[in-house]
Amino acid sequence: MLNNTCSLKVNGAKESTREGKSLPRTAHHRHPGGKKQPVLRLLFWETTTGCNLECAHCRRLDVSQRLAKSDLTTEEGLAFIDALTATQKPILVFSGGEPLMRPDIFELAAYAIGRGLIVALATNGTLVTDQIAAKIKSVGIDRVSISIDGENAETHDGFRRLPGSFDRALEGIAYLRAHDVPVQINSTVAKHNDDQLPGIYDLAIDVGAIALHLFMLVPVGCGVQIADSVMLSAERQEEVLHWFYDKSKEKALQMKATCAPHYYRIMRQRAQAEGTKIDRSTHGMAVLTKGCLAGTSVCFVSHKGQVFPCGYLPVEAGNVRHQPFGEIWENASLFETLRRPELLKGKCGVCEYIKVCGGCRARAYGEVGDLLEEEPYCIYQPPIQISKTLDN
């Protein structure tokens, strides 16, 4: 489930905001019964746990292969798409595992596109051949993200645990670009590569990618196994996100900081210090979104139908094998909780950036077992909290 390939900003995708407002709000639509329901913007479907890599932050190959036996069948997948499109029209991201290991992946993609969904594919890139790239283009998949976790083969292959995976991923990107398929680079940021981010940025430009998304490691699930040795400190994350802000202003790539909600606080602090107005012309799509979207405009469906707020928060809201997706999205108590920022605890609960950041609910859960607790990897101290500390 915990796969760093699962975040995409897709061509043509639009996130709405109210006229004249710079703060993003959770969008809603009116349910036939009159109740307002949050609009689902992105849904990540772990189409399979099957994979050809054994990445440091993910499952062992033998575990992946065993779990793949529980993947939703073709019929279940088609039924899930029907149930999804009956109530929502999100961007549907096919992730994994490695989705290209699923024999019916293009059948499912074509069906979803036929049902009016924008479909994207998240892959490690090593299985992309010229023939596969041509199929991706002909089916109508909107964008492909490929994971690159170092500026060179030594770093990337060490993290992905397959010699040659770096070169094969670059070959996959070349095939996709030859067929005019937009490519996004995803990178998990940790101690193994935080000093290589400028090189990864340059590489993304050199290979013709249109976007670069950085993922701050979340210490839950498989990520727990390596968190102590590779997790960046809160101070180092802050430095990385400031670098990210500076690079985003170059506008050479569409850039997004994922699993890093505090970036949206940093963006506003920096813009204020620079005397820069925050709007689409200065900060692009970042002005139309916010930090943690788990359960508010994003969710994750596992290979066996479990519905989670995101791919890094292992608290189940329901299962599409037993209940229509729309009922889960609209009525699950877990999602209702996550849609109430006033319930947040600690410094997140009193922070003036609560509506644009919200803290990573998955990291809070991973650290203390409470998804409403404060973000543990944010150095910012809200003025209200400082005042309370001084009063005591």
Side-chain angles (χ1 to χ4, degrees), residues 136-347:
I136 288 171
K137 179 66 175 180
S138 66
V139 166
I141 290 173
D142 194 79
R143 180 183 290 198
V144 175
S145 74
I146 290 183
S147 300
I148 299 292
D149 291 304
E151 65 180 0
N152 53 46
E154 180 182 4
T155 303
H156 177 89
D157 292 358
F159 191 72
R160 295 282 159 180
R161 294 179 177 172
L162 178 67
S165 58
F166 180 78
D167 291 336
R168 287 166 61 183
L170 294 185
E171 288 175 4
I173 292 172
Y175 286 129
L176 291 164
R177 297 304 304 123
H179 288 277
D180 198 30
V181 176
V183 173
Q184 169 183 311
I185 301 299
N186 290 347
S187 291
T188 297
V189 181
K191 290 180 181 179
H192 72 286
N193 67 356
D194 65 314
D195 61 341
Q196 297 185 14
L197 294 180
I200 294 173
Y201 175 87
D202 291 340
L203 178 63
I205 295 174
D206 291 344
V207 300
I210 63 172
L212 173 64
H213 288 202
L214 298 186
F215 290 71
M216 292 299 180
L217 186 68
V218 180
V220 297
C222 304
V224 171
Q225 302 170 16
I226 61 171
D228 290 343
S229 60
V230 303
M231 191 81 181
L232 297 183
S233 67
E235 291 75 17
R236 180 56 180 151
Q237 288 195 27
E238 191 87 357
E239 293 172 357
V240 167
L241 294 175
H242 276 280
W243 170 86
F244 190 82
Y245 175 83
D246 291 332
K247 300 304 287 186
S248 71
K249 294 197 295 183
E250 297 178 6
K251 298 182 179 179
L253 294 164
Q254 299 169 19
M255 298 182 67
K256 187 175 189 301
T258 302
C259 302
H262 30 318
Y263 174 74
Y264 296 90
R265 180 254 307 163
I266 290 172
M267 181 181 78
R268 285 163 173 79
Q269 289 175 318
R270 290 287 302 275
Q272 182 179 22
E274 296 163 357
T276 303
K277 181 181 178 181
I278 295 180
D279 58 29
R280 284 286 299 275
S281 65
T282 58
H283 294 82
M285 290 296 291
V287 75
L288 299 180
T289 186
K290 63 178 183 177
C292 186
L293 301 171
T296 60
S297 56
V298 167
C299 78
F300 180 94
V301 176
S302 81
H303 73 109
K304 55 184 180 180
Q306 300 158 293
V307 180
F308 298 97
C310 75
Y312 302 92
L313 182 50
V315 181
E316 186 174 336
N319 192 306
V320 300
R321 276 180 163 153
H322 312 307
Q323 186 179 8
F325 174 80
E327 292 183 8
I328 300 171
W329 176 252
E330 295 173 3
N331 301 317
S333 59
L334 171 62
F335 289 158
E336 290 179 358
T337 296
L338 289 168
R339 293 164 190 166
R340 296 180 59 192
E342 70 272 15
L343 297 179
L344 295 183
K345 304 174 183 178
K347 64 182 181 182

